[in-house]
Amino acid sequence: MPILNKDMTLCISLSARPSNNGTRFHNHLYGQLDLNWIYKAFAPTNLEQAIAGVRGLGIRGCAVSMPYKEDVIALVDEMDPSAKAIDSVNTIVNTDGHLKAYNTDYTAIEQLLATNSVPTDYSVLVQGAGGMAKATVAALRDAGFTDVTVIARNEAAGRALAEQYGFSWRAALDGGAADMIVNVTPIGMAGGADADALSFPAEAIDAAKVVFDVVALPAETPLIRAAQAAGKPAITGAEVATIQALEQFVLYTGVRPTAEQVRAAEEFTRAQ
């Protein structure tokens, strides 16, 4: 990484509980590609002021994580179809003060369903109804899944999300099971109150054929560890994070790294 200088381009992330994942991934790629850029994570105390800072300071890119993916919509100038279709933002690109919002979470989920060859006739339980859940449910619908149930205690949010994509809603799991279970809540996230909790009970894990947890930190959440112990194929949030961060990197810089460069950045990120 070059020494800090006045010509350096800045990108940032905004999250209630920032991790070093994005910081290490982006900065490692900047170094490999000899770009005079730097990336820094923030936990904003005022979202509106933070986005005003992105615009006013000429910050090129801004990643957006929970719980801000919907709140930033009112603060940007333009919504790319990837964000507009699901009313959820995880990426903001600043071009001369014009803020355009994207969603690369959707791309990541879509790619992982395909690369893991998850059969579209599988039944699916999706736990959560926030911005990441919107990306997940939309990707499932667009991939051809038809038997999907959204589990969310918030009836208004859960029912609205399910009905938007032609799926069903339940307030609680209540002993239910499916071929694939997907956690899109903060349960299992490092640093949170539920960091050591299982987002699905053992019975649902045992009944599942595929377990998917979008929580990226740690890479092996309690759910992923339980799935591995049960011998179940698992898709991790770390994989989601790599793909969505790569697409963000391309949007910010206009440069697409080679597969080898991405692998090196991913290995560097996971070595922390």
Side-chain angles (χ1 to χ4, degrees), residues 20-30 32 108 111-112 115-116 216-217 219 235-246 249 257-272:
N20 276 323
N21 285 358
T23 302
R24 290 172 66 86
F25 182 86
H26 284 268
N27 284 322
H28 193 273
L29 283 175
Y30 297 155
Q32 288 189 80
Q111 287 187 24
L112 286 167
T115 57
N116 285 275
L217 189 68
I235 306 172
T236 71
E239 296 173 271
V240 176
T242 294
I243 296 171
Q244 67 84 17
L246 169 61
F249 183 92
T258 65
E260 182 177 335
Q261 290 168 333
V262 173
R263 279 194 299 272
E266 185 177 22
E267 290 171 3
F268 177 77
T269 301
R270 293 183 179 179
Q272 63 180 303

Side-chain angles (χ1 to χ4, degrees), residues 57-102:
L57 295 173
I59 295 170
R60 170 58 176 170
C62 176
V64 182
S65 296
M66 292 188 288
Y68 307 119
K69 294 185 178 186
E70 296 162 321
D71 295 341
V72 298
I73 292 174
L75 306 176
V76 301
D77 302 307
E78 183 181 357
M79 293 277 282
D80 182 78
S82 63
K84 188 173 184 179
I86 57 177
D87 291 324
S88 177
V89 171
N90 84 324
T91 305
I92 299 172
V93 178
N94 178 8
T95 305
D96 298 325
H98 180 86
L99 305 186
K100 185 172 181 178
Y102 300 80

